Amino acid sequence: MMSERPRVAILISGGGSNMVALVRDMQSDDHPAIPALVLSNRADAGGLQKATELGVATAVVDHRPHGSDRAAFEAEVQAVLEAHKIDLICLAGFMRRLTEAFTRAWAGRMINIHPSLLPLHKGLNTHARALEAGDTWHGCTVHEVTGELDDGPILGQARLVVRPGERAQDLAARVLQLEHRLYPAVLRHFAAGDRTMVNLE
Ligand code: GRF
């Protein structure tokens, strides 16, 4: 049973710029959700300090002691999520593959942002691949997380026109700005139980 205002955990592995955008938006009075936790698999993730500065509880669950035992790592993550009474999960630069069992347990309550216009360019190095492919359009997608990598029902997309001769790092920076607009917009709908597609340019 979801609490009055859904309690959101944001899972990160790095700088957490998407996490900051989500938390800042949730801290406005009219937002339907509460930023309850920022959890990282890496103690050195820059986003942890940013979360603390924003007044959000943080936790670290290091994946390394578990080696290749993803289920053991996820059991530790699950215990922390339950301790914080989490209702919804936002993956934001979280770089660990999740098992089918974990994604099934959170089905319909876990979303992710991917830096491409899915289903194009699943996986890594999406900006270089979009340039390589000569794509006219590129951008980012927020989708529900399933057992398949970068798959699952699409909740929103933001797109831009690729500039001829643009470098991958410049394209990545422009897409990241779109991500910071798209993810908060989608979470507002998702947290209110509204799956209306969000499209931004
Ligand atoms: C972003 O490109 C995001 O699309 C991907 O991870 C990158 C870093 O995100 N999932 P952040 O700055 O850590 O939010």
Side-chain angles (χ1 to χ4, degrees), residues 14-17 19-20 23 38 45-56 58:
S17 70
M19 174 275 297
V20 169
V23 167
V38 172
L48 291 168
Q49 177 57 30
K50 293 173 191 165
T52 300
E53 286 161 6
L54 288 164
V56 179
T58 62

Side-chain angles (χ1 to χ4, degrees), residues 60-98:
V60 175
V61 177
D62 191 341
H63 61 278
R64 291 171 305 183
H66 301 290
S68 59
D69 185 350
R70 288 191 290 165
F73 165 66
E74 290 168 358
E76 218 184 314
V77 169
Q78 181 66 21
V80 174
L81 295 172
E82 286 172 7
H84 286 266
K85 299 181 174 42
I86 299 304
D87 299 298
L88 300 176
I89 296 174
C90 292
L91 305 181
F94 185 66
M95 302 310 278
R96 303 302 297 169
R97 275 301 308 273
L98 295 166

Side-chain angles (χ1 to χ4, degrees), residues 14-19 92-95 112-115 127 176 179-180:
S17 70
N18 276 289
M19 174 275 297
F94 185 66
M95 302 310 278
N112 177 50
I113 189 156
H114 179 74
H127 310 298
L176 196 58
E179 294 175 34
H180 297 164

Side-chain angles (χ1 to χ4, degrees), residues 6-174:
R7 293 171 55 82
V8 173
I10 305 169
L11 272 50
I12 66 169
S13 298
S17 70
N18 276 289
M19 174 275 297
V20 169
L22 291 170
V23 167
R24 286 207 173 121
D25 193 42
M26 280 189 270
Q27 289 177 334
S28 24
D29 295 343
D30 63 339
H31 198 292
I34 295 170
L37 175 68
V38 172
L39 184 151
S40 176
N41 64 299
R42 297 175 56 109
D44 63 350
L48 291 168
Q49 177 57 30
K50 293 173 191 165
T52 300
E53 286 161 6
L54 288 164
V56 179
T58 62
V60 175
V61 177
D62 191 341
H63 61 278
R64 291 171 305 183
H66 301 290
S68 59
D69 185 350
R70 288 191 290 165
F73 165 66
E74 290 168 358
E76 218 184 314
V77 169
Q78 181 66 21
V80 174
L81 295 172
E82 286 172 7
H84 286 266
K85 299 181 174 42
I86 299 304
D87 299 298
L88 300 176
I89 296 174
C90 292
L91 305 181
F94 185 66
M95 302 310 278
R96 303 302 297 169
R97 275 301 308 273
L98 295 166
T99 63
E100 179 77 31
F102 189 89
T103 59
R104 208 178 313 115
W106 286 92
R109 300 189 295 152
M110 179 160 58
I111 59 179
N112 177 50
I113 189 156
H114 179 74
S116 79
L117 294 176
L118 292 174
L120 287 175
H121 309 311
K122 296 182 181 181
L124 299 174
N125 304 318
T126 59
H127 310 298
R129 288 161 59 198
L131 290 165
E132 195 69 27
D135 295 348
T136 301
W137 293 99
H138 184 47
C140 50
T141 302
V142 177
H143 62 95
E144 292 192 54
V145 177
T146 65
E148 297 299 312
L149 181 70
D150 301 327
D151 202 51
I154 290 176
L155 299 171
Q157 293 196 309
R159 68 177 194 168
L160 50 70
V161 177
V162 177
R163 293 170 181 155
E166 184 169 21
R167 297 181 311 166
Q169 59 262 51
D170 297 327
L171 181 55
R174 292 201 301 130

